[in-house]
Amino acid sequence: MKANGLLSASQSVLMAVVSRVMGIVDVPLRYLQRKAGQNGMAAFFLAPNMAIFAVFVLVPFVINFVYSLTGGSAIFLSERSFVGAEQYREIFACGNYLDPNTCKQDVFWIAAGNTAAFVVLQVSLMIVAALITALILNREIIGRGFWRAVFFFPVLLSPVVTGLIWRWIFQRQGVLNAVMQGLGLEPHDWLTERNSAFFASIGVSIWAHVGFYTLILLAGLQAIPKDLYEAAQMDGTSRSRVFWRITLPLLMPNLIVVLVLALIRAVQIFDEAFVLTHGGPGTSTMYLVQYIYETGFASELRNPGLAAAASILMGAVLVVLTLVQMAASRRSEKKGAR
Amino acid sequence: MSRAVDFVTRRRGASGSGGKGWHWTDVFTWVWLIGGLFVMFAPAAWLALSSFKTPAALSEFPPSLLPYVTETVKIAGNDKPSPLYDVTMPDGKTARLVELRRVGIVAQMVDPASPETVIKVNIKDRKPVQKLHFETSNYTEPFVHFDFLRYLWNSVFVTVTATLITLVVNSMAAFALSKYQFRGQNAVLIVIVATLMVPLAVIMVPLYSVVSSLGLLDSLWGVILPTVATPTGVFLLRQYMLTIPDELIDAARMDKASEWQIYWRIVLPLSAPALAVLAIFSVVWRWNDFLWPLIVLSRSSLYTLQVGLNVYSGQLNVQWHFILAMTVVTMIPVVLVFVFLQRFIARGIATSGLK
């Protein structure tokens, strides 16, 4: 009771202060409103957001193109020399286009190849897992809210925490190897062997994100009219037929949106994989964003122009995927309206 | 009894599939759910349990589930407390002895009651006496001897400041975009949509040069400012404000309220549910941010928890007992958000797909 009173007292004090400040702010703004007119105030309300937006998103976006046409290691654009399409030529200088090792920027192509393999495997496995989980959570099960929370839990964790949790499990002396030994299997160097490190990064990223896509698919499943299922049951339709003929077709719009969303996110894989393996062993878990980061900032021979060119190539892929997503979600909206 | 089992296991729709019994999908459902419970929760729980172990217990293989330490006894003549063991004596009895020193596979041990008579024991014949012990210094040491208190403060500062600024500037922009008619409104909307396509990874190189030319490198403001004008926030709030009836605003104008008063006394309070959702998301986003702080912050006194954890865990000799504890600390706010606000977030994702 007492604590409550204290809380509400401090709340009312806070409100009084806020209202005082807002009142003081109001004086010059009334003057501004007299000058600019009622509708002119819209510009005032937009200004802070759009100014921040322009400086930190639009300007970098535009100068990224200019940046990719310059060379040297200087940061400021004015100190950089114009080299034309040299950076792009550098990226595409390959002896044999089927073998990344013959390219001048072999690490870029290895990172691109890794990312492509990662995207295909991670997205397909994750969508299947998310679909199965959503179908299960959509059933009449005891404690549905609890189970939903179980699968959603890792979504909120930071990628660094996720990476460390799994590094601790996968390490040489880790619990996974202890379990393997208990089962009579040979312990394995999960994060220092090329293939297992790659698959570990895929598994960890599925673990971290599957709950997010499950939630979207679950919302889609719950939007399917119940009477369709009742009618099917009355007709004695088999469960598998109900799934293939009712559930899947009606869920398809959501599924496409989720698929493209997952693709867009998977192309940008960086944080958890970086903390898990730092791109290693060798370059086996080096993905595109890490390549851009290391070329632009981290390595001794940094080359911001090359990093900018690489980021524009990645951006082009993302733009295509986003356009697909917009078309897909527009189609699903139309379907929903019908 | 069988009726009780029946009650617990009965499902709707089971009769539709031809009488009683478990359809294979029912079995699969529970296998998936129980398996999911283990796979989703066990890793984080294992990390939390491990974070209470001593470095010695952490280097054990195979590891024990709970944090144990070997019990020790102070013996006259030894500066440090000596470890206790249960020893199987040659006559088959067990005795509780203290190790004085160890030479190869033979340990010189004494009975704590009569420390004069030294007994030589093969190390195969003894087991350490262990007790449950939570090593809390894993949590306190990094705060006292390393910079983790600073990192924690930096993370809190970035999260709180960025979220407050986000709420203010996004709600102002959303107000302008939902309650006014002006030229170029659609253009502004389109520009905002378009930036949803421009993730940080694509513009980080030029953004770095912009931030450094503004003198914000190695400053927490360089982390905060580029993140605050979120397009998702503007959209979420705008969609919500469109549902606030214009009549309210017209009535306020009749009463000579200024536009600013309309914004903060009418529209803002009425948008509280949407603001709450955005606040929750913003807190999680900013707390978890990693790549951009990693680029901007190079002075170690400015690291956020995420960057600090990455740096310490990347050292050659990883001090896992500290890393694990600090990972748990980094996890706490997000777990709190999860426990108390999970429903809001679930609804936010389901309705708008934002993350």
Side-chain angles (χ1 to χ4, degrees), chain A residues 22 26 29-30 33 38-39 45 49 53 56 60 64 76 133 139 147 149 156-158 160 167-168 173 181 207 209-210 212 239 268 270 292-293 297 311 322 326, chain B residues 25-26 29 32-33 39-40 46 50 61 170 172 180-181 193 195 197 199 202 204 206-208 212-213 253 258-261 264 288 291 294 306 313 331 334 338 355:
Chain A
M22 290 302 193
D26 192 40
L29 288 181
R30 266 180 194 273
Q33 191 180 335
Q38 205 177 71
N39 239 359
F45 283 112
N49 197 68
F53 201 67
F56 295 111
N64 205 9
F76 295 114
T133 314
R139 304 184 66 173
W147 293 111
L156 294 181
L157 292 181
S158 88
V160 176
R167 232 177 94 186
W168 178 239
Q173 303 268 302
Q181 203 181 47
W207 180 81
H209 301 294
V210 70
F212 175 76
R239 287 189 197 215
Q268 299 171 53
F270 171 72
I292 297 169
Y293 165 69
F297 305 102
S311 72
T322 311
M326 284 180 154
Chain B
T25 53
D26 297 319
T29 293
W32 188 269
L33 288 177
V39 172
M40 291 304 182
W46 173 245
S50 304
F61 185 84
N170 280 5
M172 282 171 69
Y180 292 93
Q181 304 289 322
V193 177
T195 46
M197 284 188 241
V202 174
M204 64 186 174
L207 182 56
Y208 181 82
S212 81
S213 62
R253 279 183 185 143
S258 71
E259 298 303 303
W260 176 254
Q261 280 175 323
W264 84 267
N288 288 349
L291 176 55
L294 180 69
Q306 315 286 350
S313 70
M331 223 157 63
V334 171
F338 171 76
K355 184 189 177 186

XYZ file of all heavy atoms in Angstrom, chain A residues 22 26 29-30 33 38-39 45 49 53 56 60 64 76 133 139 147 149 156-158 160 167-168 173 181 207 209-210 212 239 268 270 292-293 297 311 322 326, chain B residues 25-26 29 32-33 39-40 46 50 61 170 172 180-181 193 195 197 199 202 204 206-208 212-213 253 258-261 264 288 291 294 306 313 331 334 338 355:
709
model
N 6.683 20.809 -21.067
C 5.901 20.880 -22.299
C 5.235 22.250 -22.438
O 5.124 22.795 -23.532
C 4.837 19.782 -22.297
C 5.404 18.394 -22.446
S 6.361 18.197 -23.949
C 6.539 16.426 -24.011
N 5.792 24.974 -25.332
C 4.636 25.406 -26.105
C 4.706 26.881 -26.506
O 4.205 27.260 -27.562
C 3.363 25.150 -25.284
C 2.109 25.306 -26.121
O 2.142 24.849 -27.295
O 1.127 25.879 -25.633
N 6.498 27.559 -29.688
C 5.818 26.822 -30.758
C 4.523 27.494 -31.176
O 4.130 27.461 -32.341
C 5.556 25.377 -30.314
C 6.809 24.507 -30.256
C 6.464 23.096 -29.848
C 7.516 24.511 -31.606
N 3.852 28.127 -30.227
C 2.651 28.892 -30.579
C 3.026 30.026 -31.530
O 2.307 30.319 -32.488
C 2.008 29.481 -29.326
C 0.920 28.592 -28.756
C 0.302 29.214 -27.512
N -0.479 28.212 -26.806
C -1.768 27.967 -27.088
N -2.401 28.668 -28.021
N -2.418 27.035 -26.433
N 3.655 28.593 -34.830
C 2.405 28.216 -35.475
C 1.726 29.426 -36.092
O 1.139 29.344 -37.180
C 1.476 27.561 -34.446
C 0.268 26.899 -35.082
C -0.627 26.252 -34.031
O -0.163 25.894 -32.962
N -1.894 26.119 -34.343
N -1.429 26.456 -39.381
C -1.734 25.169 -38.761
C -1.067 24.011 -39.500
O -0.416 23.160 -38.909
C -3.246 25.003 -38.785
C -3.760 24.087 -37.731
C -5.270 24.045 -37.804
O -5.838 23.480 -38.736
N -5.931 24.664 -36.845
N -1.239 23.995 -40.819
C -0.694 22.891 -41.600
C 0.826 22.929 -41.675
O 1.468 21.903 -41.819
C -1.293 22.921 -43.008
C -2.017 21.614 -43.299
O -2.043 20.722 -42.458
N -2.594 21.518 -44.468
N 6.878 18.939 -37.061
C 6.813 17.622 -36.424
C 7.659 16.587 -37.181
O 8.204 15.670 -36.601
C 5.360 17.144 -36.331
C 4.585 17.810 -35.236
C 3.548 18.693 -35.529
C 4.907 17.573 -33.914
C 2.853 19.310 -34.516
C 4.205 18.193 -32.890
C 3.173 19.069 -33.189
N 12.808 13.763 -37.081
C 12.945 12.409 -37.595
C 13.604 12.412 -38.972
O 14.545 11.656 -39.230
C 11.568 11.744 -37.663
C 11.661 10.240 -37.794
O 12.080 9.551 -36.882
N 11.300 9.753 -38.955
N 17.174 10.921 -40.128
C 17.036 9.980 -41.209
C 17.913 10.340 -42.409
O 18.623 9.505 -42.967
C 15.574 10.097 -41.589
C 15.060 8.958 -42.308
C 14.949 7.746 -41.680
C 14.684 9.084 -43.626
C 14.446 6.674 -42.367
C 14.183 8.018 -44.303
C 14.062 6.810 -43.674
N 21.783 10.054 -41.438
C 22.339 8.741 -41.112
C 21.874 7.597 -42.009
O 22.344 6.479 -41.854
C 22.046 8.396 -39.648
C 22.733 9.317 -38.682
C 22.006 10.215 -37.926
C 24.116 9.300 -38.555
C 22.637 11.079 -37.045
C 24.757 10.149 -37.683
C 24.020 11.044 -36.922
N 24.395 8.521 -46.368
C 25.295 7.368 -46.553
C 24.896 6.509 -47.746
O 25.756 6.020 -48.484
C 25.133 6.583 -45.248
C 24.662 7.546 -44.259
C 23.842 8.544 -44.999
N 27.439 6.052 -50.810
C 27.975 4.702 -50.948
C 28.385 4.434 -52.395
O 29.417 3.823 -52.662
C 26.926 3.672 -50.506
C 27.551 2.367 -50.049
O 28.759 2.272 -49.909
N 26.728 1.374 -49.821
N 37.590 9.939 -45.227
C 36.782 11.033 -45.750
C 36.794 11.034 -47.267
O 37.844 10.843 -47.899
C 37.277 12.373 -45.205
C 37.087 12.473 -43.727
C 38.170 12.528 -42.882
C 35.805 12.483 -43.181
C 37.995 12.602 -41.506
C 35.617 12.558 -41.820
C 36.719 12.619 -40.970
N 6.307 -26.421 -36.253
C 6.020 -25.886 -34.919
C 4.700 -25.123 -34.908
O 3.886 -25.276 -33.994
C 7.163 -24.965 -34.454
O 8.406 -25.618 -34.715
C 7.062 -24.674 -32.978
N -2.712 -26.640 -32.757
C -3.610 -27.709 -32.326
C -4.151 -27.405 -30.939
O -3.690 -26.501 -30.261
C -2.854 -29.043 -32.298
C -2.223 -29.396 -33.607
C -1.590 -30.745 -33.539
N -2.643 -31.755 -33.351
C -2.410 -33.058 -33.390
N -1.202 -33.501 -33.560
N -3.392 -33.914 -33.220
N 3.964 -23.212 -24.484
C 4.756 -23.818 -25.558
C 5.173 -22.784 -26.586
O 6.274 -22.834 -27.125
C 3.966 -24.949 -26.225
C 3.741 -26.099 -25.317
C 2.547 -26.506 -24.785
C 4.743 -26.994 -24.792
N 2.744 -27.584 -23.962
C 4.062 -27.908 -23.952
C 6.110 -27.103 -24.935
C 4.743 -28.914 -23.269
C 6.779 -28.108 -24.263
C 6.097 -29.004 -23.447
N 5.775 -19.710 -25.939
C 6.874 -18.965 -25.315
C 8.185 -19.740 -25.404
O 9.249 -19.163 -25.605
C 6.525 -18.658 -23.857
N 14.607 -13.245 -28.603
C 14.952 -11.971 -27.986
C 16.414 -11.891 -27.555
O 16.921 -10.816 -27.288
C 14.050 -11.726 -26.771
C 12.576 -11.516 -27.074
C 11.822 -11.256 -25.800
C 12.389 -10.344 -28.026
N 17.072 -13.041 -27.443
C 18.456 -13.019 -26.978
C 19.338 -12.271 -27.971
O 19.102 -12.293 -29.170
C 18.977 -14.444 -26.826
C 18.360 -15.286 -25.719
C 19.007 -16.657 -25.698
C 18.521 -14.607 -24.373
N 20.374 -11.627 -27.434
C 21.262 -10.919 -28.347
C 22.113 -11.941 -29.092
O 22.406 -13.016 -28.581
C 22.143 -9.946 -27.587
O 23.308 -10.591 -27.147
N 25.164 -11.937 -29.640
C 26.406 -12.215 -28.924
C 26.165 -13.278 -27.855
O 26.936 -14.240 -27.714
C 26.968 -10.926 -28.287
C 28.203 -11.227 -27.472
C 27.282 -9.904 -29.363
N 28.939 -21.482 -28.229
C 30.384 -21.733 -28.197
C 30.730 -22.552 -26.964
O 31.585 -23.432 -27.000
C 31.126 -20.393 -28.150
C 32.180 -20.272 -29.225
C 32.816 -18.937 -29.176
N 34.021 -18.935 -28.372
C 34.715 -17.835 -28.081
N 34.305 -16.671 -28.538
N 35.796 -17.910 -27.371
N 30.057 -22.251 -25.869
C 30.298 -22.951 -24.623
C 29.882 -24.422 -24.745
O 30.497 -25.303 -24.162
C 29.546 -22.250 -23.488
C 29.690 -22.904 -22.161
C 28.703 -23.383 -21.379
C 30.904 -23.153 -21.449
N 29.212 -23.920 -20.234
C 30.565 -23.797 -20.253
C 32.262 -22.903 -21.732
C 31.513 -24.193 -19.319
C 33.203 -23.302 -20.803
C 32.822 -23.934 -19.606
N 36.012 -29.152 -24.686
C 35.695 -29.738 -23.393
C 34.232 -29.516 -23.042
O 33.864 -29.537 -21.878
C 36.560 -29.081 -22.309
C 38.028 -29.174 -22.551
C 38.593 -30.405 -21.896
O 38.489 -30.592 -20.707
N 39.177 -31.272 -22.695
N 30.745 -38.671 -25.616
C 31.589 -39.660 -24.958
C 30.733 -40.626 -24.133
O 30.968 -41.834 -24.138
C 32.594 -38.960 -24.039
C 33.809 -39.796 -23.755
C 34.765 -39.066 -22.832
O 34.361 -38.512 -21.808
N 36.025 -39.059 -23.188
N 18.194 -21.966 -34.487
C 17.763 -21.958 -33.085
C 17.335 -20.549 -32.661
O 16.325 -20.365 -31.986
C 18.928 -22.443 -32.213
C 18.654 -22.503 -30.742
C 18.008 -23.501 -30.083
C 19.025 -21.540 -29.749
N 17.963 -23.228 -28.749
C 18.572 -22.029 -28.501
C 19.689 -20.318 -29.783
C 18.774 -21.345 -27.311
C 19.889 -19.634 -28.599
C 19.437 -20.145 -27.381
N 16.290 -17.999 -34.524
C 15.261 -17.255 -35.256
C 13.982 -18.020 -35.550
O 13.012 -17.424 -35.993
C 15.836 -16.729 -36.567
C 17.018 -15.831 -36.367
N 16.904 -14.608 -35.745
C 18.322 -15.983 -36.648
C 18.103 -14.055 -35.668
N 18.983 -14.873 -36.204
N 13.977 -19.336 -35.313
C 12.822 -20.118 -35.739
C 11.539 -19.653 -35.055
O 10.466 -19.641 -35.662
C 13.072 -21.635 -35.524
C 13.090 -21.994 -34.055
C 12.038 -22.454 -36.252
N 10.554 -16.687 -34.285
C 9.996 -15.499 -34.943
C 9.082 -15.891 -36.102
O 7.939 -15.440 -36.208
C 11.158 -14.628 -35.430
C 10.751 -13.443 -36.235
C 10.206 -12.331 -35.628
C 10.934 -13.435 -37.611
C 9.840 -11.237 -36.373
C 10.567 -12.338 -38.359
C 10.016 -11.238 -37.748
N -6.916 -36.469 -42.624
C -6.102 -35.377 -42.112
C -5.090 -34.880 -43.134
O -4.880 -33.683 -43.278
C -5.330 -35.835 -40.876
C -6.193 -35.992 -39.673
C -5.295 -36.217 -38.484
N -6.052 -36.755 -37.375
C -5.790 -36.458 -36.111
N -4.795 -35.669 -35.817
N -6.515 -36.974 -35.148
N 22.070 -11.407 -44.624
C 22.821 -10.493 -43.760
C 23.413 -11.179 -42.540
O 23.734 -10.514 -41.554
C 21.906 -9.368 -43.285
C 21.342 -8.547 -44.401
C 20.280 -7.611 -43.883
O 20.495 -6.857 -42.945
N 19.106 -7.661 -44.473
N 25.550 -12.268 -39.726
C 26.847 -11.832 -39.251
C 27.050 -12.149 -37.761
O 27.851 -13.017 -37.418
C 27.058 -10.327 -39.486
C 28.287 -9.791 -38.815
C 29.544 -10.095 -39.300
C 28.196 -9.005 -37.673
C 30.689 -9.626 -38.669
C 29.339 -8.527 -37.035
C 30.579 -8.844 -37.544
N 32.672 -7.566 -45.664
C 32.561 -6.110 -45.802
C 33.149 -5.420 -44.563
O 33.912 -4.466 -44.668
C 31.083 -5.698 -45.995
C 30.539 -6.283 -47.297
C 30.944 -4.182 -46.003
C 29.044 -6.156 -47.432
N 32.786 -5.940 -43.407
C 33.285 -5.352 -42.156
C 34.806 -5.402 -42.098
O 35.464 -4.406 -41.779
C 32.661 -6.105 -40.969
C 33.351 -5.854 -39.651
C 33.275 -4.621 -39.023
C 34.073 -6.872 -39.027
C 33.908 -4.406 -37.820
C 34.699 -6.661 -37.815
C 34.620 -5.420 -37.224
O 35.251 -5.207 -36.033
N 36.960 -2.051 -42.266
C 37.375 -1.513 -40.972
C 38.511 -2.263 -40.289
O 39.376 -1.666 -39.702
C 36.180 -1.496 -40.009
C 34.998 -0.772 -40.540
C 33.934 -1.475 -41.059
C 34.953 0.609 -40.539
C 32.836 -0.810 -41.564
C 33.864 1.282 -41.035
C 32.802 0.570 -41.552
N 29.388 -4.028 -50.663
C 28.103 -3.826 -49.992
C 27.022 -3.447 -50.993
O 25.851 -3.781 -50.807
C 28.225 -2.758 -48.904
O 28.354 -1.477 -49.469
N 13.552 -7.778 -51.670
C 12.525 -6.941 -51.062
C 11.383 -6.679 -52.035
O 10.212 -6.676 -51.642
C 13.126 -5.604 -50.598
O 14.294 -5.878 -49.846
C 12.150 -4.847 -49.749
N 7.514 -7.414 -51.434
C 6.416 -6.442 -51.531
C 5.325 -6.956 -52.439
O 4.138 -6.850 -52.129
C 6.956 -5.111 -52.044
C 7.706 -4.363 -50.963
S 8.324 -2.814 -51.613
C 8.410 -1.868 -50.125
N 0.057 -38.256 -35.329
C 0.349 -36.826 -35.199
C 0.331 -36.390 -33.738
O 1.018 -35.450 -33.364
C -0.672 -35.984 -35.987
O -1.982 -36.363 -35.569
C -0.519 -36.175 -37.469
N -0.473 -37.078 -32.905
C -0.495 -36.726 -31.486
C 0.837 -37.074 -30.836
O 1.381 -36.305 -30.047
C -1.628 -37.474 -30.775
C -2.969 -37.076 -31.329
O -3.148 -35.872 -31.587
O -3.812 -37.956 -31.538
N 3.394 -34.627 -32.025
C 3.215 -33.328 -31.368
C 3.981 -33.276 -30.057
O 4.756 -32.354 -29.817
C 1.725 -33.075 -31.087
O 1.061 -32.931 -32.328
C 1.528 -31.825 -30.247
N 7.784 -33.504 -30.407
C 8.297 -32.221 -30.891
C 8.321 -31.181 -29.779
O 9.287 -30.438 -29.605
C 7.439 -31.748 -32.068
C 7.963 -30.534 -32.769
C 7.668 -29.239 -32.488
C 8.879 -30.506 -33.874
N 8.339 -28.404 -33.348
C 9.087 -29.151 -34.204
C 9.528 -31.495 -34.615
C 9.928 -28.762 -35.248
C 10.365 -31.094 -35.651
C 10.553 -29.748 -35.952
N 7.206 -31.137 -28.992
C 7.128 -30.119 -27.942
C 8.155 -30.369 -26.843
O 8.848 -29.438 -26.413
C 5.723 -30.089 -27.337
C 4.624 -29.506 -28.215
C 3.282 -29.601 -27.520
C 4.922 -28.048 -28.560
N 15.649 -28.409 -26.364
C 16.586 -27.745 -27.271
C 16.583 -26.233 -27.075
O 17.627 -25.582 -27.146
C 16.253 -28.100 -28.738
C 17.087 -27.270 -29.698
C 16.471 -29.574 -28.977
N 15.414 -25.652 -26.806
C 15.322 -24.199 -26.704
C 15.817 -23.681 -25.348
O 16.453 -22.638 -25.281
C 13.868 -23.746 -26.923
C 13.398 -23.943 -28.333
S 14.499 -23.089 -29.462
C 13.802 -23.361 -31.026
N 22.054 -24.309 -19.244
C 23.393 -24.872 -19.030
C 24.412 -23.752 -18.839
O 25.295 -23.820 -17.974
C 23.758 -25.770 -20.212
C 25.161 -26.265 -20.173
C 26.166 -25.979 -21.050
C 25.735 -27.141 -19.195
N 27.309 -26.600 -20.681
C 27.079 -27.324 -19.551
C 25.231 -27.766 -18.056
C 27.936 -28.126 -18.798
C 26.087 -28.563 -17.308
C 27.427 -28.728 -17.690
N 26.560 -23.192 -15.504
C 28.022 -23.180 -15.597
C 28.604 -21.898 -15.036
O 29.741 -21.885 -14.552
C 28.456 -23.314 -17.065
O 27.913 -24.465 -17.628
N 36.350 -32.471 -17.270
C 35.671 -33.149 -18.368
C 35.516 -34.619 -18.032
O 36.495 -35.255 -17.661
C 36.459 -32.987 -19.681
C 35.732 -33.558 -20.855
C 34.775 -32.810 -21.513
C 35.986 -34.854 -21.283
C 34.091 -33.336 -22.588
C 35.300 -35.376 -22.361
C 34.352 -34.621 -23.017
N 9.926 9.594 -33.514
C 9.029 8.773 -34.321
C 7.575 9.166 -34.128
O 6.796 9.196 -35.090
C 9.195 7.283 -33.964
C 10.399 6.666 -34.616
O 11.174 7.346 -35.264
N 10.560 5.379 -34.445
N 6.434 12.123 -33.251
C 6.186 13.416 -33.900
C 5.992 13.221 -35.396
O 5.054 13.771 -36.000
C 7.358 14.373 -33.631
C 7.331 14.981 -32.239
S 8.833 15.889 -31.839
C 8.681 17.291 -32.927
N -2.159 15.341 -40.720
C -2.089 16.546 -41.574
C -2.171 16.137 -43.029
O -1.822 15.003 -43.386
C -0.772 17.299 -41.354
C -0.645 17.932 -39.988
C -0.036 17.241 -38.958
C -1.124 19.208 -39.752
C 0.084 17.795 -37.707
C -1.009 19.783 -38.492
C -0.401 19.075 -37.480
O -0.287 19.633 -36.242
N -2.643 17.069 -43.838
C -2.580 16.886 -45.278
C -1.580 17.899 -45.812
O -1.756 19.084 -45.597
C -3.952 17.175 -45.920
C -5.088 16.362 -45.371
C -4.986 14.920 -45.806
O -4.591 14.640 -46.937
N -5.306 13.994 -44.920
N 9.551 3.983 -46.561
C 9.418 2.559 -46.934
C 10.706 2.067 -47.577
O 11.201 0.979 -47.275
C 8.253 2.355 -47.930
C 8.200 0.889 -48.353
C 6.948 2.752 -47.312
N 13.675 2.912 -47.194
C 14.826 2.672 -46.322
C 14.713 1.361 -45.552
O 15.689 0.899 -44.981
C 14.987 3.787 -45.280
O 13.724 4.047 -44.736
C 15.581 4.995 -45.886
N 14.592 -1.165 -46.961
C 15.425 -2.023 -47.798
C 16.908 -1.787 -47.561
O 17.731 -2.508 -48.109
C 15.166 -1.727 -49.273
C 13.904 -2.281 -49.807
S 13.927 -2.007 -51.573
C 12.502 -0.989 -51.770
N 19.537 -2.016 -45.083
C 20.019 -2.417 -43.767
C 21.402 -1.851 -43.503
O 22.101 -1.409 -44.424
C 20.063 -3.935 -43.847
C 20.260 -4.229 -45.280
C 19.629 -3.109 -46.044
N 24.571 -2.663 -45.546
C 24.789 -2.114 -46.882
C 25.433 -0.734 -46.821
O 26.189 -0.352 -47.710
C 23.454 -2.075 -47.661
C 23.617 -1.384 -48.987
C 22.919 -3.487 -47.855
N 27.242 0.570 -44.110
C 28.089 0.832 -42.950
C 29.386 1.568 -43.289
O 29.870 2.330 -42.464
C 28.355 -0.444 -42.157
C 29.125 -1.519 -42.848
S 29.148 -2.962 -41.749
C 29.917 -4.168 -42.785
N 30.019 4.041 -45.747
C 29.827 5.501 -45.782
C 29.258 6.058 -44.482
O 29.569 7.192 -44.127
C 28.845 5.710 -46.937
C 28.198 4.395 -47.137
C 29.184 3.354 -46.749
N 28.423 5.277 -43.772
C 27.886 5.757 -42.498
C 29.019 6.047 -41.521
O 28.992 7.028 -40.783
C 26.920 4.721 -41.902
C 26.243 5.109 -40.584
C 25.493 6.412 -40.729
C 25.295 4.010 -40.119
N 30.038 5.210 -41.586
C 31.202 5.417 -40.729
C 31.855 6.755 -41.036
O 32.236 7.499 -40.128
C 32.182 4.264 -40.943
C 33.430 4.325 -40.102
C 33.420 3.885 -38.793
C 34.618 4.812 -40.632
C 34.552 3.927 -38.024
C 35.769 4.859 -39.864
C 35.732 4.417 -38.558
O 36.868 4.456 -37.798
N 32.070 9.860 -38.526
C 33.369 10.382 -38.111
C 33.521 11.848 -38.500
O 34.151 12.615 -37.779
C 34.501 9.528 -38.668
O 34.771 9.870 -39.992
N 32.899 12.270 -39.602
C 33.016 13.697 -39.945
C 32.166 14.552 -39.017
O 32.387 15.755 -38.896
C 32.642 13.945 -41.410
O 31.307 13.572 -41.622
N -8.899 22.128 -31.322
C -8.542 23.360 -32.043
C -9.563 24.460 -31.774
O -9.210 25.629 -31.646
C -8.469 23.082 -33.547
C -7.141 22.449 -33.925
C -7.022 22.223 -35.413
N -5.769 21.503 -35.682
C -5.635 20.580 -36.610
N -6.660 20.249 -37.380
N -4.482 19.984 -36.782
N -2.966 24.677 -29.044
C -1.955 24.768 -30.098
C -1.687 23.373 -30.638
O -2.038 22.365 -30.015
C -0.670 25.364 -29.538
O -0.044 24.434 -28.691
N -1.045 23.295 -31.805
C -0.762 21.999 -32.421
C 0.119 21.147 -31.504
O -0.034 19.933 -31.416
C -0.083 22.191 -33.774
C -0.935 22.941 -34.794
C -2.269 22.277 -35.055
O -2.258 21.093 -35.450
O -3.308 22.924 -34.855
N 1.050 21.833 -30.851
C 1.937 21.109 -29.935
C 1.143 20.499 -28.788
O 1.366 19.352 -28.397
C 3.019 22.063 -29.412
C 3.922 21.456 -28.383
C 3.914 21.699 -27.049
C 4.953 20.497 -28.604
N 4.879 20.950 -26.424
C 5.531 20.205 -27.364
C 5.445 19.845 -29.740
C 6.575 19.300 -27.196
C 6.484 18.947 -29.593
C 7.036 18.689 -28.346
N 0.173 21.258 -28.248
C -0.663 20.733 -27.169
C -1.484 19.543 -27.653
O -1.656 18.560 -26.937
C -1.585 21.823 -26.629
C -0.870 22.749 -25.669
C -1.758 23.897 -25.238
O -2.543 24.413 -26.041
N -1.618 24.312 -23.991
N 0.866 16.465 -27.654
C 1.305 15.774 -26.441
C 0.201 15.569 -25.416
O 0.324 14.732 -24.537
C 2.547 16.426 -25.841
C 2.339 17.598 -24.951
C 2.354 18.905 -25.308
C 2.099 17.572 -23.553
N 2.125 19.691 -24.234
C 1.968 18.896 -23.122
C 1.973 16.556 -22.610
C 1.723 19.239 -21.810
C 1.732 16.894 -21.293
C 1.603 18.229 -20.893
N 20.592 -5.233 -27.753
C 21.239 -6.326 -28.467
C 22.168 -5.871 -29.593
O 22.865 -6.695 -30.166
C 20.184 -7.266 -29.059
C 19.491 -8.078 -27.982
O 19.924 -8.098 -26.834
N 18.419 -8.734 -28.342
N 26.930 -5.017 -34.252
C 27.847 -4.663 -35.338
C 28.193 -3.174 -35.335
O 29.363 -2.807 -35.427
C 27.234 -5.072 -36.688
C 28.013 -4.702 -37.939
C 29.433 -5.236 -37.890
C 27.318 -5.204 -39.185
N 30.337 -2.098 -32.474
C 31.664 -2.689 -32.697
C 32.496 -1.815 -33.632
O 33.705 -1.674 -33.470
C 31.486 -4.091 -33.297
C 32.739 -4.899 -33.619
C 33.430 -5.321 -32.340
C 32.389 -6.131 -34.442
N 27.704 -5.927 -25.146
C 27.843 -6.863 -26.271
C 29.258 -6.813 -26.846
O 29.864 -7.845 -27.133
C 26.835 -6.528 -27.377
C 25.429 -6.235 -26.897
C 24.681 -7.463 -26.454
O 25.139 -8.580 -26.669
N 23.544 -7.268 -25.816
N 35.762 -12.522 -24.998
C 35.643 -13.925 -25.403
C 36.530 -14.232 -26.598
O 36.717 -15.392 -26.950
C 34.195 -14.260 -25.743
O 33.827 -13.615 -26.940
N 22.024 -11.227 -20.450
C 20.767 -11.875 -20.789
C 19.611 -11.376 -19.928
O 18.458 -11.414 -20.344
C 20.943 -13.388 -20.570
C 20.382 -14.260 -21.628
S 21.207 -15.871 -21.599
C 20.780 -16.509 -20.022
N 16.737 -8.908 -21.110
C 15.949 -9.484 -22.188
C 15.045 -10.597 -21.647
O 13.893 -10.733 -22.064
C 16.884 -10.009 -23.289
C 16.120 -10.790 -24.311
C 17.609 -8.858 -23.940
N 11.073 -10.752 -21.736
C 10.419 -11.953 -22.238
C 9.357 -12.444 -21.258
O 8.225 -12.738 -21.635
C 11.473 -13.044 -22.462
C 10.890 -14.387 -22.763
C 10.370 -14.647 -24.016
C 10.856 -15.369 -21.798
C 9.827 -15.880 -24.300
C 10.314 -16.602 -22.076
C 9.796 -16.864 -23.329
N 10.614 -6.755 -36.267
C 11.524 -7.458 -35.367
C 12.690 -6.558 -35.055
O 13.334 -6.068 -35.933
C 12.036 -8.723 -36.025
C 12.897 -9.542 -35.107
C 13.535 -10.650 -35.897
C 14.461 -11.444 -35.035
N 15.171 -12.420 -35.851
